[in-house]
Amino acid sequence: MATGEIQSQEYQQRRWLNIRKVLERSGPFCHPDFEPSAEILDFLMNSCKILIVGAGGLGCELLKDLALMGFKKIHIIDMDTIELSNLNRQFLFRKTDIGLSKAKCAVEFVNKRIPGCEAIAHHCAIQDMDDGFYRQFHIVVCGLDSIIARRWLNGMLMSLLQYNDDRSLDQSSVIPLVDGGTEGFKGNARVILPGMSACIECTLDFYPPQKTFPLCTIANTPRLPEHCVEYVKVIQWAKENPWGESTVLDGDNPQHVAWVYEKAQERAMKHGIANVTYRLTQGVLKNIIPAVASTNAAIAAACATEVFKLASSCCANMNNYMVFNMAEGVYTYTFNAEKRPDCVACSNTTRVMEIEANATLQTIYDKLCDDVAFAMKRPGITTVINGRNKTLYISSIKSIEEKTRDNLKKRITEIGLYNGAEILVADVTTPSTVTIKLKFSENYDVDMSR
Amino acid sequence: MASPSPKSPEQSEKTKQYDRQLRLWGDHGQLALENGHICLINANALGTEILKSIVLPGVGAVTIVDDNIVTDEDIGSNFFLEHSSKGLNRAEETIRLLLELNDAVRGHTVHDPPDQILQENPDFFKTFSVVIATHLSEKTIKDLSQHLWDINIPFILCKSVGFLGLFRIQVKEHPIIETHPENEQVDLRLDIPFPALSEYLNNIDINTLDLKDHGQIPWIVIIYKAIEKWQLSNHNRWPMSRKEKNDVKDIIQSFIRKDENEIPINEENFEEALRAVNTAMVPTFLPVKIQELLYSNSATHLTKDSCPFWIMCSALRTFIEAEGKGKLPLRGVLPDMTTTTDHYVKLQNIYRTQAALEAEIVYRKVQSIVSQLQCDTISEADVKLFCRHSHDLHLIKGSSICLEYQLGTPTASYIARHLEEPDVMMVHYILLRAADMFRSEHCRAPGEWEPEGDISKLKTCVSKILSDVSSSPFPKDDHIHEMCRYGGAEIHSISAFIGGCVAHEAIKIITKQYKPVNNTFIYDGASTNTATFTF
């Protein structure tokens, strides 16, 4: 077919007839602001810029869905390359693509299949892109399997929010985030309007804590096949260093997995534990989450519908969180996840941490990690004293960790913190530093004079 | 560098490719899927989206029945068409692009309309595991569903119009052994311990153990001892009421050792016992649902053609009446608990051995039935699996789609009841039916040309259906208007949502694992609302 015809007005009219019906006609259930017109499709095709985060199970589906809903200016970002175990659901990839960039392959496939689609691939980590990159999009839709990456992205979109002089939110700075996630036959889809509705950080308690086994069980009283694999992974590997001291255990290296499998079997045999299999070994080593095409298709589709609604205003968005389960029948439940008024990411207020005046820095560190409102991984803590930055504790850089380690044991008042002092916390879960104000517990004699 | 690794255990290419799904339905589920053959009638966007999620996990074969010629509109909403597909047969074009997803899947096409096949070659449908159809006319829905009901082939009817989607599963009878319940009830038999368990429990004296061993007593033992103590002063009854259970909890508390200051020592196993006490005290019983299944006609009146499920049900019933003493075979699964390796492995073996013993008895009964009936043999592994899951067996007894079109049936009053509630999802069902009726009367979708003019015509269809189910007319025309606005449009993301769901339902039917929808699912993408109806 000639390019001329693909671009012809008449052809476009025929080709997009399905979605034109809902965009160019008014209906009794439309959003009050919705004014049907041909310009909406024109906006979707020629102006609306969408970012898809992740080109895996959800990302492949999202790219196809959005391209068939009229969107053309689609960017997709993913640092991963294609593996054989992706092919049971990531339908834009073939065996010949193994080892190539997911984002690039997905884009190449969809641009070819759907002429006119101008998708652009970014084969890199989301953290490699700056706020200028993220600011260019009208809507971001996210299909990630990592909670940390999701929180980072959420933090990035929240950091783009602008506030007017009267502290009201500048609506033009809001970039909606549509987020999907799946695990086996379960999934969820949600719509986040930054600064206006619950964000990822507001609802951290939705994520179940990762299942871990106590070290003493692994070492002394193994009962389950998983305990045997964990033992080899955590203790035996470091002891025996089968490939030399510098080689870390790699769950993607079949030889490593085979070694762990054999040692775990030996340990299981010794203790009379059954059912250590290769599949189980791999599952424990890589923390594999089961995944299937159908769940990804359904969740991505629900997200794509929400992107379409946001971009066209043709009907009201989901409010605002849908859980989905097709293990028994097909079940969905949509509810309004509540925004935390003091959310560290989206509230435009300084978060307050209540703490005993005689607490140590360790107490603050533990709170940052254990309190579900923060749930940080390796927070680095600094503060400003008399206008100068002071590092209190940073664990991510070895030399600084050694220098600041002693601070953990010290009382917070010894290292210059006071009631009302602000600490600045950096972590992998957030792109920008979080400011937290310390509030000493009531019984303390408040000294505000400092 | 010389590899310290032993011979790498052979993992086939296929196992690697399907790893993430094998963790959900196992190798035996995969094998069933690979022996499955799906027939799809009409490869529109909804149809190909369904097939996509069945081809990717590796179904054996798919056959597409479609006599339509590809249009620009098709290409605009269907990912498995290319620009060059225009004017060609839709089955040919879509199968070609779908098979690219998985070279292990075989594909076939038939270019005849389904009505013609029904008339000239009705046996065509006999070979399929599931028949899936989209965008059928009202007449074909009735004829095809009746035929598939008669020849006992599972059928999934699917629709996608505007923001609305629907699928209806028609199966006569669908037994499921592996239902994968989210919370499996434990089967510990503390109320009726079998000899090996009794012996083990009675050999432990928790009072004489030193502190270290005391902290390693499995919670099963703790609960058992606590109940035993409670029974001493309660005529050997089993604690049933909330108060009695709390008494047992108090006894467990009293078992916890104290330090020199009389402060209870934190013992993890006792904490676990207190948490587990409610579920562990549920007496062993034969669930009513299972009892009904085992005494149903299909299980009590076996014939040469009875399927393995009913033969195993029959064997299970005779087990329960004899050796099982009214109870199901032991599940043989021990939950994880804080204890030593020795304790745990020993206990686990006690349960596993007993379960194997009981499954063996059931297997022998199965064998004798099989030889009496002279039917196909059933493997020991299958019987073991059946016994292991006998607490959660499930049977779906379906209904024919044709019933929805008949007057004065319980289905009609079921629909009317939901409309009176009023249940907006049932309103959507009526409108999807009305749109079918409109199409058969006017040869186009309601609102296909322009919405306003068709409102009154569609309203006539709605009124007809409502009067058929003896329901009063809708107070407002808003849903009728909305359906005309859609004009029969197929929105890709709505089809993709239904597509994912239907693919999974078909896989559930083929693998006989997980419970399918019984029997109608409706999705409204505009309000993000879903509902399940059982017609």
Side-chain angles (χ1 to χ4, degrees):
Chain A
M1 183 179 298
T3 335
E5 205 204 329
I6 290 175
Q7 285 161 354
S8 89
Q9 194 65 28
E10 200 189 327
Y11 165 75
Q12 292 294 351
Q13 296 283 311
R14 281 199 311 273
R15 181 175 153 182
W16 300 107
L17 192 60
N18 281 300
I19 56 168
R20 279 179 48 222
K21 284 178 183 150
V22 290
L23 295 177
E24 296 174 16
R25 294 170 170 190
S26 166
F29 302 107
C30 288
H31 197 274
D33 299 340
F34 177 69
E35 277 183 42
S37 80
E39 284 161 31
I40 301 172
L41 182 59
D42 183 63
F43 170 74
L44 299 192
M45 297 211 291
N46 300 316
S47 309
C48 191
K49 271 177 117 172
I50 310 275
L51 173 66
I52 300 173
V53 182
L58 287 168
C60 282
E61 293 280 346
L62 283 165
L63 183 56
K64 170 215 52 156
D65 290 344
L66 294 173
L68 287 171
M69 306 277 282
F71 296 95
K72 284 179 165 181
K73 315 255 180 223
I74 307 170
H75 289 233
I76 186 161
I77 179 167
D78 196 316
M79 65 191 285
D80 281 348
T81 54
I82 297 157
E83 293 174 30
L84 180 55
S85 64
N86 301 146
L87 301 189
N88 78 325
R89 60 196 186 284
Q90 301 176 16
F91 68 100
L92 300 176
F93 311 140
R94 304 289 171 262
K95 282 184 183 161
T96 47
D97 297 327
I98 289 170
L100 303 177
S101 152
K102 285 188 179 179
K104 285 182 182 166
C105 273
V107 157
E108 204 176 305
F109 195 104
V110 169
N111 283 350
K112 186 166 161 241
R113 179 64 58 84
I114 304 172
C117 182
E118 301 163 11
I120 293 171
H122 302 278
H123 180 207
C124 63
I126 54 170
Q127 293 86 353
D128 293 346
M129 296 300 199
D130 61 10
D131 51 348
F133 172 78
Y134 290 101
R135 197 176 279 124
Q136 66 179 309
F137 297 102
H138 290 89
I139 301 164
V140 175
V141 51
C142 166
L144 287 165
D145 54 6
S146 148
I147 295 169
I148 293 181
R150 200 180 254 117
R151 290 174 66 184
W152 188 93
L153 181 80
N154 179 73
M156 170 53 78
L157 295 183
M158 300 306 145
S159 74
L160 300 180
L161 291 176
Q162 305 276 329
Y163 291 86
N164 301 317
D165 293 341
D166 61 354
R167 290 182 69 80
S168 64
L169 184 65
D170 174 1
Q171 299 280 336
S172 67
S173 68
V174 174
I175 300 174
L177 172 63
V178 179
D179 178 56
T182 69
E183 181 175 342
F185 298 130
K186 296 177 187 171
N188 67 275
R190 65 191 295 186
V191 175
I192 295 168
L193 300 174
M196 299 161 76
S197 64
C199 78
I200 304 274
E201 297 290 322
C202 293
T203 56
L204 276 184
D205 52 336
F206 289 0
Y207 300 114
Q210 210 187 323
K211 206 180 161 196
T212 53
F213 304 105
L215 197 63
C216 60
T217 300
I218 297 167
N220 305 322
T221 58
R223 302 179 297 271
L224 307 179
E226 288 86 351
H227 295 157
C228 301
V229 178
E230 279 286 324
Y231 175 83
V232 181
K233 174 186 163 187
V234 178
I235 296 165
Q236 204 168 353
W237 180 277
K239 221 189 266 173
E240 300 190 16
N241 281 313
W243 274 266
E245 235 173 271
S246 55
T247 310
V248 289
L249 177 56
D250 176 5
D252 287 318
N253 182 326
Q255 286 188 312
H256 289 195
V257 181
W259 188 86
V260 175
Y261 170 54
E262 202 199 52
K263 300 294 172 191
Q265 265 188 324
E266 280 171 16
R267 184 166 172 81
M269 193 96 77
K270 194 176 121 197
H271 290 97
I273 297 167
N275 296 335
V276 170
T277 62
Y278 189 85
R279 188 174 294 155
L280 176 114
T281 305
Q282 213 180 14
V284 174
L285 282 184
K286 294 178 68 179
N287 190 23
I288 290 175
I289 295 162
V292 52
S294 51
T295 315
N296 280 295
I299 289 297
C303 291
T305 303
E306 295 307 313
V307 172
F308 184 74
K309 290 182 197 171
L310 280 166
S312 69
S313 325
C314 70
C315 42
N317 271 103
M318 161 203 303
N319 186 20
N320 51 31
Y321 195 110
M322 178 182 82
V323 290
F324 175 86
N325 189 347
M326 49 181 180
E328 186 175 336
V330 179
Y331 169 86
T332 72
Y333 175 63
T334 307
F335 65 97
N336 181 5
E338 282 179 35
K339 188 175 184 302
R340 276 185 77 125
D342 62 343
C343 172
V344 276
C346 73
S347 68
N348 192 32
T349 54
T350 304
R351 181 56 159 276
V352 175
M353 181 191 275
E354 198 156 321
I355 192 140
E356 304 251 331
N358 59 1
T360 60
L361 186 62
Q362 182 76 49
T363 315
I364 293 184
Y365 186 87
D366 291 346
K367 269 196 180 211
L368 291 170
C369 294
D370 301 338
D371 187 336
V372 287
F374 300 106
M376 291 179 169
K377 301 295 162 193
R378 299 176 76 185
I381 309 168
T382 58
T383 190
V384 178
I385 292 172
N386 300 328
R388 296 176 67 172
N389 285 322
K390 182 179 176 191
T391 302
L392 299 178
Y393 181 70
I394 291 179
S395 65
S396 52
I397 302 163
K398 203 177 168 211
S399 59
I400 303 182
E401 199 278 333
E402 283 164 4
K403 269 186 221 158
T404 55
R405 192 185 295 162
D406 286 344
N407 283 345
L408 287 175
K409 286 179 238 147
K410 291 184 189 160
R411 289 193 180 182
I412 51 178
T413 45
E414 276 177 68
I415 49 177
L417 294 174
Y418 50 92
N419 190 19
E422 287 182 348
I423 54 169
L424 307 165
V425 186
D427 189 53
V428 286
T429 57
T430 166
S432 44
T433 310
V434 177
T435 306
I436 296 169
K437 194 172 193 156
L438 298 180
K439 180 172 179 257
F440 286 0
S441 304
E442 287 298 304
N443 54 0
Y444 181 69
D445 186 14
V446 184
D447 175 13
M448 295 291 281
S449 61
R450 295 181 62 155
Chain B
M1 189 197 300
S3 165
S5 216
K7 63 279 159 207
S8 171
E10 276 317 304
Q11 236 207 342
S12 68
E13 177 116 325
K14 199 171 85 180
T15 316
K16 283 185 205 155
Q17 181 174 341
Y18 295 143
D19 179 82
R20 301 303 184 266
Q21 70 203 37
L22 293 175
R23 292 168 192 276
L24 293 165
W25 55 63
D27 296 306
H28 60 298
Q30 185 66 28
L31 187 67
L33 185 62
E34 287 169 15
N35 286 322
H37 190 166
I38 298 269
C39 172
L40 169 74
I41 301 172
N42 286 331
N44 59 357
L46 175 55
T48 56
E49 288 301 313
I50 296 166
L51 282 194
K52 170 171 117 290
S53 297
I54 303 179
V55 166
L56 283 165
V59 72
V62 291
T63 294
I64 297 181
V65 174
D66 198 336
D67 64 320
N68 288 285
I69 299 302
V70 176
T71 65
D72 286 330
E73 209 179 328
D74 282 334
I75 296 167
S77 65
N78 192 332
F79 192 71
F80 296 93
L81 290 172
E82 293 176 316
H83 268 265
S84 55
S85 304
K86 191 181 173 183
L88 302 174
N89 172 269
R90 201 164 65 176
E92 273 318 310
E93 285 301 286
T94 50
I95 198 89
R96 178 172 63 82
L97 296 174
L98 275 164
L99 290 181
E100 284 181 2
L101 302 181
N102 192 337
D103 50 23
V105 179
R106 285 165 290 125
H108 314 276
T109 59
V110 174
H111 301 193
D112 300 325
D115 297 304
Q116 192 183 326
I117 301 174
L118 272 172
Q119 231 162 36
E120 294 172 3
N121 183 18
D123 283 352
F124 168 80
F125 295 106
K126 272 191 171 162
T127 54
F128 298 113
S129 329
V130 184
V131 175
I132 300 170
T134 72
H135 205 74
L136 291 187
S137 73
E138 197 174 40
K139 180 177 179 301
T140 317
I141 292 175
K142 291 180 191 169
D143 294 347
L144 182 65
S145 62
Q146 183 63 54
H147 178 63
L148 294 173
W149 180 260
D150 291 342
I151 62 171
N152 197 15
I153 297 293
F155 176 43
I156 310 180
L157 172 70
C158 314
K159 301 178 188 180
S160 167
V161 184
F163 285 108
L164 296 179
L166 171 147
F167 67 84
R168 160 70 153 100
I169 300 178
Q170 174 184 283
V171 282
K172 249 188 190 161
E173 192 179 90
H174 181 67
I176 310 147
I177 297 169
E178 292 166 89
T179 51
H180 299 270
E182 201 127 311
N183 299 303
E184 210 170 52
Q185 172 70 33
V186 290
D187 182 20
L188 299 173
R189 309 277 163 126
L190 292 180
D191 54 338
I192 41 163
F194 44 93
L197 180 62
S198 253
E199 196 193 323
Y200 172 84
L201 292 167
N202 292 330
N203 274 341
I204 299 177
D205 180 359
I206 65 171
N207 297 317
T208 57
L209 294 172
D210 67 30
L211 185 61
K212 187 169 152 284
D213 293 338
H214 196 256
Q216 298 286 356
I217 308 168
W219 62 247
I220 288 194
V221 181
I222 298 170
I223 293 174
Y224 181 76
K225 298 287 176 185
I227 295 172
E228 223 178 19
K229 189 167 175 188
W230 181 87
Q231 285 177 324
L232 283 179
S233 48
N234 286 280
H235 315 286
N236 279 332
R237 281 191 304 115
W238 189 256
M240 296 298 283
S241 70
R242 178 190 281 265
K243 188 197 166 288
E244 290 169 346
K245 287 179 181 173
N246 284 336
D247 290 345
V248 174
K249 282 189 195 173
D250 290 342
I251 297 174
I252 294 174
Q253 291 278 9
S254 75
F255 285 163
I256 298 176
R257 297 269 167 99
K258 310 211 166 43
D259 66 12
E260 59 273 25
N261 302 320
E262 284 301 302
I263 294 168
I265 294 165
N266 184 19
E267 291 180 299
E268 178 70 25
N269 54 335
F270 283 85
E271 297 295 316
E272 284 178 3
L274 288 167
R275 280 198 297 272
V277 73
N278 278 331
T279 50
M281 268 197 284
V282 175
T284 310
F285 69 105
L286 176 63
V288 178
K289 212 186 77 176
I290 305 298
Q291 192 173 354
E292 281 171 3
L293 203 60
L294 301 183
Y295 286 90
S296 68
N297 211 37
S298 309
T300 53
H301 293 78
L302 295 178
T303 69
K304 202 176 168 314
D305 299 320
S306 292
C307 69
F309 180 80
W310 291 119
I311 293 173
M312 290 192 282
C313 279
S314 183
L316 185 60
R317 190 188 60 249
T318 50
F319 169 85
I320 291 168
E321 288 169 350
E323 298 89 340
K325 294 178 188 137
K327 307 287 189 275
L328 286 167
L330 182 71
R331 201 196 301 270
V333 176
L334 184 68
D336 187 32
M337 56 191 71
T338 296
T339 183
T340 61
T341 304
D342 275 355
H343 267 310
Y344 188 79
V345 170
K346 202 166 168 189
L347 251 179
Q348 196 175 40
N349 282 335
I350 287 172
Y351 278 100
R352 279 185 185 165
T353 309
Q354 182 67 21
L357 218 69
E358 297 185 6
E360 170 72 31
I361 299 173
V362 179
Y363 176 57
R364 281 205 302 275
K365 291 181 190 297
V366 168
Q367 273 180 314
S368 90
I369 297 172
V370 165
S371 71
Q372 265 174 37
L373 294 172
Q374 295 187 314
C375 56
D376 291 344
T377 56
I378 300 170
S379 76
E380 187 170 359
D382 283 349
V383 177
K384 272 193 168 159
L385 189 80
F386 180 82
C387 290
R388 154 86 177 77
H389 297 288
S390 60
H391 297 73
D392 299 302
L393 299 175
H394 189 74
L395 177 74
I396 290 181
K397 271 178 129 34
S399 67
S400 156
I401 290 176
C402 286
L403 280 180
E404 294 167 48
Y405 293 87
Q406 286 167 14
L407 309 180
T409 58
T411 307
S413 42
Y414 174 86
I415 294 170
R417 219 167 42 242
H418 279 274
L419 288 172
E420 277 155 28
E421 261 179 33
D423 183 343
V424 68
M425 297 310 278
M426 190 58 91
V427 173
H428 292 322
Y429 166 80
I430 296 292
L431 274 144
L432 287 165
R433 283 263 310 265
D436 288 344
M437 188 187 279
F438 184 102
R439 205 147 51 89
S440 61
E441 284 174 11
H442 304 280
C443 296
R444 62 168 196 275
E448 188 162 337
W449 300 339
E450 59 87 32
E452 274 72 21
D454 284 347
I455 292 177
S456 64
K457 292 195 188 84
L458 182 61
K459 198 174 173 178
T460 311
C461 298
V462 169
S463 305
K464 170 91 180 38
I465 296 169
L466 290 178
S467 95
D468 280 357
V469 298
S470 312
S471 193
S472 42
F474 294 150
K476 286 194 331 201
D477 288 349
D478 47 1
H479 289 284
I480 296 169
H481 184 169
E482 182 74 0
M483 181 55 84
C484 290
R485 173 195 180 206
Y486 296 157
E490 187 179 8
I491 298 177
H492 184 82
S493 65
I494 302 300
S495 290
F497 183 88
I498 294 292
C501 296
V502 171
H504 188 48
E505 295 304 298
I507 292 169
K508 285 176 183 173
I509 292 171
I510 295 175
T511 58
K512 296 193 164 66
Q513 293 187 38
Y514 300 93
K515 293 183 198 169
V517 165
N518 184 19
N519 45 35
T520 303
F521 180 82
I522 296 177
Y523 170 56
D524 176 21
S527 64
T528 324
N529 205 352
T530 66
T532 299
F533 294 115
T534 307
F535 292 129

Short mmCIF file of all heavy atoms in Angstrom, two decimals, chain A residues 55 76-83 92-93 97-108 121-124:
data_model
loop_
_atom_site.label_atom_id
_atom_site.label_comp_id
_atom_site.label_asym_id
_atom_site.label_seq_id
_atom_site.Cartn_x
_atom_site.Cartn_y
_atom_site.Cartn_z
N ALA A 55 9.13 -2.67 29.50
CA ALA A 55 8.74 -3.30 28.23
C ALA A 55 8.67 -4.80 28.42
O ALA A 55 9.07 -5.58 27.56
CB ALA A 55 9.73 -2.93 27.13
N ILE A 76 8.96 4.30 25.30
CA ILE A 76 8.98 3.15 26.21
C ILE A 76 10.40 2.99 26.74
O ILE A 76 11.37 3.10 25.99
CB ILE A 76 8.42 1.88 25.53
CG1 ILE A 76 8.31 0.72 26.52
CG2 ILE A 76 9.22 1.48 24.30
CD1 ILE A 76 7.37 -0.38 26.06
N ILE A 77 10.51 2.78 28.03
CA ILE A 77 11.84 2.71 28.66
C ILE A 77 11.99 1.41 29.42
O ILE A 77 11.09 1.01 30.17
CB ILE A 77 12.07 3.96 29.56
CG1 ILE A 77 13.43 3.89 30.24
CG2 ILE A 77 10.97 4.09 30.63
CD1 ILE A 77 13.84 5.22 30.89
N ASP A 78 13.10 0.73 29.18
CA ASP A 78 13.39 -0.52 29.91
C ASP A 78 14.88 -0.83 29.73
O ASP A 78 15.41 -0.74 28.64
CB ASP A 78 12.54 -1.68 29.35
CG ASP A 78 12.51 -2.87 30.29
OD1 ASP A 78 13.57 -3.25 30.83
OD2 ASP A 78 11.42 -3.44 30.50
N MET A 79 15.53 -1.20 30.82
CA MET A 79 16.97 -1.48 30.76
C MET A 79 17.25 -2.96 30.45
O MET A 79 18.38 -3.35 30.19
CB MET A 79 17.63 -1.11 32.08
CG MET A 79 17.16 -1.96 33.25
SD MET A 79 17.68 -1.34 34.86
CE MET A 79 19.39 -1.82 34.82
N ASP A 80 16.21 -3.79 30.46
CA ASP A 80 16.41 -5.23 30.35
C ASP A 80 16.60 -5.72 28.92
O ASP A 80 16.19 -5.07 27.97
CB ASP A 80 15.22 -5.98 30.95
CG ASP A 80 15.29 -6.02 32.47
OD1 ASP A 80 16.36 -5.68 33.02
OD2 ASP A 80 14.29 -6.38 33.09
N THR A 81 17.18 -6.91 28.83
CA THR A 81 17.27 -7.60 27.55
C THR A 81 16.38 -8.85 27.59
O THR A 81 16.00 -9.31 28.66
CB THR A 81 18.71 -8.01 27.22
OG1 THR A 81 19.21 -8.76 28.32
CG2 THR A 81 19.59 -6.80 26.99
N ILE A 82 16.09 -9.37 26.41
CA ILE A 82 15.11 -10.45 26.27
C ILE A 82 15.70 -11.80 26.67
O ILE A 82 16.83 -12.13 26.29
CB ILE A 82 14.59 -10.47 24.83
CG1 ILE A 82 13.86 -9.16 24.55
CG2 ILE A 82 13.67 -11.66 24.59
CD1 ILE A 82 13.77 -8.78 23.11
N GLU A 83 14.93 -12.56 27.45
CA GLU A 83 15.32 -13.92 27.85
C GLU A 83 14.27 -14.91 27.38
O GLU A 83 13.11 -14.54 27.17
CB GLU A 83 15.41 -14.01 29.38
CG GLU A 83 16.52 -13.19 29.99
CD GLU A 83 16.43 -13.22 31.51
OE1 GLU A 83 15.95 -14.22 32.07
OE2 GLU A 83 16.85 -12.23 32.12
N LEU A 92 5.82 -9.58 21.80
CA LEU A 92 6.47 -8.84 20.71
C LEU A 92 7.87 -9.39 20.43
O LEU A 92 8.55 -8.93 19.52
CB LEU A 92 6.56 -7.35 21.07
CG LEU A 92 5.22 -6.63 21.31
CD1 LEU A 92 5.45 -5.19 21.76
CD2 LEU A 92 4.36 -6.66 20.05
N PHE A 93 8.30 -10.38 21.22
CA PHE A 93 9.66 -10.91 21.09
C PHE A 93 9.64 -12.34 20.57
O PHE A 93 8.75 -13.12 20.88
CB PHE A 93 10.38 -10.87 22.44
CG PHE A 93 10.28 -9.56 23.16
CD1 PHE A 93 10.09 -9.52 24.54
CD2 PHE A 93 10.35 -8.36 22.46
CE1 PHE A 93 9.99 -8.30 25.21
CE2 PHE A 93 10.25 -7.15 23.12
CZ PHE A 93 10.06 -7.12 24.50
N ASP A 97 15.31 -12.90 19.10
CA ASP A 97 15.54 -11.61 19.75
C ASP A 97 16.25 -11.75 21.10
O ASP A 97 16.56 -10.74 21.75
CB ASP A 97 14.20 -10.90 20.01
CG ASP A 97 13.47 -10.55 18.72
OD1 ASP A 97 14.15 -10.27 17.73
OD2 ASP A 97 12.22 -10.57 18.73
N ILE A 98 16.47 -12.98 21.56
CA ILE A 98 17.05 -13.18 22.89
C ILE A 98 18.39 -12.45 23.00
O ILE A 98 19.23 -12.55 22.12
CB ILE A 98 17.19 -14.70 23.20
CG1 ILE A 98 15.78 -15.28 23.41
CG2 ILE A 98 18.05 -14.96 24.43
CD1 ILE A 98 15.71 -16.78 23.47
N GLY A 99 18.54 -11.69 24.08
CA GLY A 99 19.76 -10.92 24.30
C GLY A 99 19.64 -9.48 23.85
O GLY A 99 20.46 -8.64 24.21
N LEU A 100 18.63 -9.15 23.05
CA LEU A 100 18.47 -7.77 22.56
C LEU A 100 17.66 -6.93 23.56
O LEU A 100 17.00 -7.46 24.46
CB LEU A 100 17.78 -7.77 21.20
CG LEU A 100 18.45 -8.57 20.07
CD1 LEU A 100 17.60 -8.51 18.81
CD2 LEU A 100 19.85 -8.04 19.81
N SER A 101 17.69 -5.62 23.34
CA SER A 101 16.96 -4.70 24.22
C SER A 101 15.45 -4.90 24.07
O SER A 101 14.92 -4.90 22.95
CB SER A 101 17.32 -3.26 23.85
OG SER A 101 16.25 -2.38 24.16
N LYS A 102 14.77 -5.04 25.20
CA LYS A 102 13.31 -5.19 25.17
C LYS A 102 12.64 -3.97 24.57
O LYS A 102 11.76 -4.09 23.71
CB LYS A 102 12.78 -5.40 26.60
CG LYS A 102 13.04 -6.77 27.16
CD LYS A 102 12.29 -6.97 28.48
CE LYS A 102 12.54 -8.37 29.01
NZ LYS A 102 11.86 -8.61 30.30
N ALA A 103 13.06 -2.79 25.04
CA ALA A 103 12.42 -1.56 24.58
C ALA A 103 12.57 -1.41 23.07
O ALA A 103 11.59 -1.12 22.36
CB ALA A 103 13.01 -0.36 25.30
N LYS A 104 13.79 -1.67 22.57
CA LYS A 104 14.03 -1.47 21.13
C LYS A 104 13.26 -2.47 20.29
O LYS A 104 12.67 -2.13 19.26
CB LYS A 104 15.53 -1.59 20.83
CG LYS A 104 16.30 -0.36 21.28
CD LYS A 104 17.78 -0.50 20.92
CE LYS A 104 18.56 0.71 21.42
NZ LYS A 104 20.00 0.46 21.40
N CYS A 105 13.26 -3.75 20.71
CA CYS A 105 12.55 -4.77 19.95
C CYS A 105 11.06 -4.49 19.91
O CYS A 105 10.42 -4.63 18.88
CB CYS A 105 12.75 -6.14 20.59
SG CYS A 105 14.21 -6.95 20.01
N ALA A 106 10.53 -4.12 21.06
CA ALA A 106 9.09 -3.87 21.15
C ALA A 106 8.69 -2.73 20.22
O ALA A 106 7.72 -2.83 19.47
CB ALA A 106 8.71 -3.54 22.60
N VAL A 107 9.48 -1.66 20.25
CA VAL A 107 9.19 -0.49 19.42
C VAL A 107 9.29 -0.82 17.93
O VAL A 107 8.42 -0.47 17.13
CB VAL A 107 10.15 0.66 19.81
CG1 VAL A 107 10.30 1.66 18.69
CG2 VAL A 107 9.67 1.33 21.09
N GLU A 108 10.33 -1.54 17.58
CA GLU A 108 10.53 -1.90 16.18
C GLU A 108 9.33 -2.71 15.66
O GLU A 108 8.81 -2.46 14.58
CB GLU A 108 11.80 -2.74 16.08
CG GLU A 108 12.45 -2.72 14.72
CD GLU A 108 13.76 -3.50 14.76
OE1 GLU A 108 14.62 -3.18 15.61
OE2 GLU A 108 13.88 -4.44 13.97
N ALA A 121 12.19 4.09 21.64
CA ALA A 121 12.69 3.22 22.71
C ALA A 121 13.82 3.89 23.50
O ALA A 121 14.61 4.65 22.93
CB ALA A 121 13.20 1.92 22.10
N HIS A 122 13.86 3.62 24.79
CA HIS A 122 14.99 4.06 25.63
C HIS A 122 15.51 2.82 26.36
O HIS A 122 14.84 2.33 27.27
CB HIS A 122 14.55 5.12 26.63
CG HIS A 122 13.95 6.33 25.98
ND1 HIS A 122 14.72 7.35 25.46
CD2 HIS A 122 12.66 6.65 25.73
CE1 HIS A 122 13.92 8.27 24.94
NE2 HIS A 122 12.67 7.87 25.08
N HIS A 123 16.66 2.34 25.93
CA HIS A 123 17.23 1.15 26.56
C HIS A 123 18.13 1.59 27.71
O HIS A 123 19.35 1.68 27.58
CB HIS A 123 18.01 0.34 25.52
CG HIS A 123 18.62 -0.90 26.09
ND1 HIS A 123 19.75 -1.48 25.58
CD2 HIS A 123 18.24 -1.67 27.13
CE1 HIS A 123 20.05 -2.56 26.30
NE2 HIS A 123 19.15 -2.69 27.24
N CYS A 124 17.54 1.94 28.83
CA CYS A 124 18.32 2.39 29.99
C CYS A 124 17.48 2.30 31.25
O CYS A 124 16.28 2.00 31.18
CB CYS A 124 18.78 3.83 29.77
SG CYS A 124 17.43 4.99 29.62
#
